[in-house]
Amino acid sequence: FNPYSAGHLRPIQAEAHYEYMRSMKKENIVYCEVGMNGGHSAAVALLASSSSQVHSFDMQEWKYSAIVADFLSQTFPDRFHAYNGSSFVTAPNYIKNSENPRCDVALIVGMHTYEGAMQDLTNFYNGAMACNHYLFYDDIYAGSGRALEKMISDGKIEIIEKFTFDYNSEQACLNVYYPVSEMYSRKYRKYLSWDDVNTNYKAKYQCSLQKEGWSFAILKFKGGKYNNCRSNNQKPSNSG
């Protein structure tokens, strides 16, 4: 079950992210993410390496997000760093500070819209990433997928591996909570406590929101400064 009002990381994604990070065989991996929500992806990054550092850029608009951030900070002392606010502001501020480490891995899963994803991708392209890096990208069939297509056509991104599943496949479906009545419609969900969710919501087996299915990908930037990088990152032998 997905115990969160919105947002999740499917098991197949978690496995892929974990395997790619493990394949880097590097100490002190710097993992950056746009969109924390319930902290699933951050937890995977923290567990993939005993020395990884996670920098999470999130609005923390959901009631549980701040609690999750506190939990991760206490569970992984000095390894989880939360930046509360719009990634359009917090991520560029992070990038501009030369004392902040560059990201070895980044997850871009913010607004799921063309405009939002394009802004985040552009920000990270302009100085956030280390030479040898991975980009984790979700919801390719949503509006954010058009931003990915634009970056690819501009010669700024290449796909290392793409995972695609049919609409009703096991990998694309989850048990998700939905409101029992209109009184608890989506606009109220971010203010509900855990007890409210249990009382006023019921689980429903939900598959991909897009009729095309569901897809995510592992990417890397190219062009610009990245042309001077000698990348040795590749698909893990046991992935896919």
Side-chain angles (χ1 to χ4, degrees):
F1 290 89
N2 170 29
Y4 298 95
S5 302
H8 47 262
L9 189 72
R10 290 174 171 87
I12 189 68
Q13 276 178 291
E15 292 170 9
H17 292 186
Y18 182 87
E19 292 300 333
Y20 268 92
M21 289 189 66
R22 295 286 292 176
S23 75
M24 299 182 80
K25 301 185 185 303
K26 178 182 178 181
E27 295 294 320
N28 302 312
I29 294 173
V30 178
Y31 173 92
C32 303
E33 65 176 10
V34 174
M36 181 195 72
N37 204 310
H40 307 83
S41 52
V44 169
L46 290 161
L47 293 170
S49 169
S50 61
S51 60
S52 58
Q53 293 282 325
V54 170
H55 298 268
S56 183
F57 306 92
D58 191 86
M59 293 285 290
Q60 294 192 16
E61 62 175 341
W62 302 100
K63 189 172 183 178
Y64 49 73
S65 293
I67 298 173
V68 167
D70 288 341
F71 172 78
L72 291 174
S73 296
Q74 293 175 31
T75 306
F76 302 93
D78 302 320
R79 294 179 54 205
F80 177 78
H81 314 276
Y83 303 82
N84 188 7
S86 170
S87 62
F88 300 163
V89 176
T90 55
N93 286 342
Y94 175 92
I95 296 166
K96 290 175 185 176
N97 188 340
S98 60
E99 295 184 1
N100 290 329
R102 302 303 91 177
C103 310
D104 299 302
V105 181
L107 169 69
I108 308 295
V109 62
M111 296 177 64
H112 298 266
T113 64
Y114 172 81
E115 295 80 8
M118 182 59 74
Q119 183 67 63
D120 286 324
L121 285 171
T122 300
N123 287 339
F124 273 75
Y125 184 84
N126 293 327
M129 306 304 297
C131 256
N132 296 320
H133 66 266
Y134 289 126
L135 289 174
F136 298 156
Y137 202 77
D138 188 24
D139 250 358
I140 291 178
Y141 291 132
S144 50
R146 292 190 290 112
L148 174 58
E149 292 174 0
K150 180 66 166 60
M151 294 289 283
I152 291 174
S153 67
D154 289 345
K156 295 181 177 180
I157 278 181
E158 66 177 275
I159 295 177
I160 298 175
E161 186 172 12
K162 184 178 179 181
F163 300 76
T164 301
F165 305 96
D166 292 336
Y167 167 83
N168 59 352
S169 70
E170 180 181 354
Q171 292 86 353
C173 301
L174 283 173
N175 284 303
V176 181
Y177 280 109
Y178 275 86
V180 174
S181 69
E182 289 301 316
M183 178 180 176
Y184 296 95
S185 61
R186 180 179 174 86
K187 68 179 180 178
Y188 295 110
R189 279 192 271 177
K190 64 182 67 176
Y191 306 112
L192 293 178
S193 69
W194 174 248
D195 289 337
D196 289 328
V197 171
N198 276 338
T199 302
N200 300 301
Y201 281 66
K202 62 180 180 180
K204 178 180 178 182
Y205 193 63
Q206 175 182 299
C207 297
S208 174
L209 297 177
Q210 286 80 38
K211 63 181 181 180
E212 297 89 348
W214 172 65
S215 182
F216 70 97
I218 314 298
L219 320 166
K220 69 176 181 179
F221 285 133
K222 66 176 186 176
K225 75 162 192 172
Y226 302 101
N227 282 340
N228 298 322
C229 295
R230 291 187 176 182
S231 177
N232 55 13
N233 287 358
Q234 55 187 336
K235 182 169 71 172
S237 58
N238 61 340
S239 74

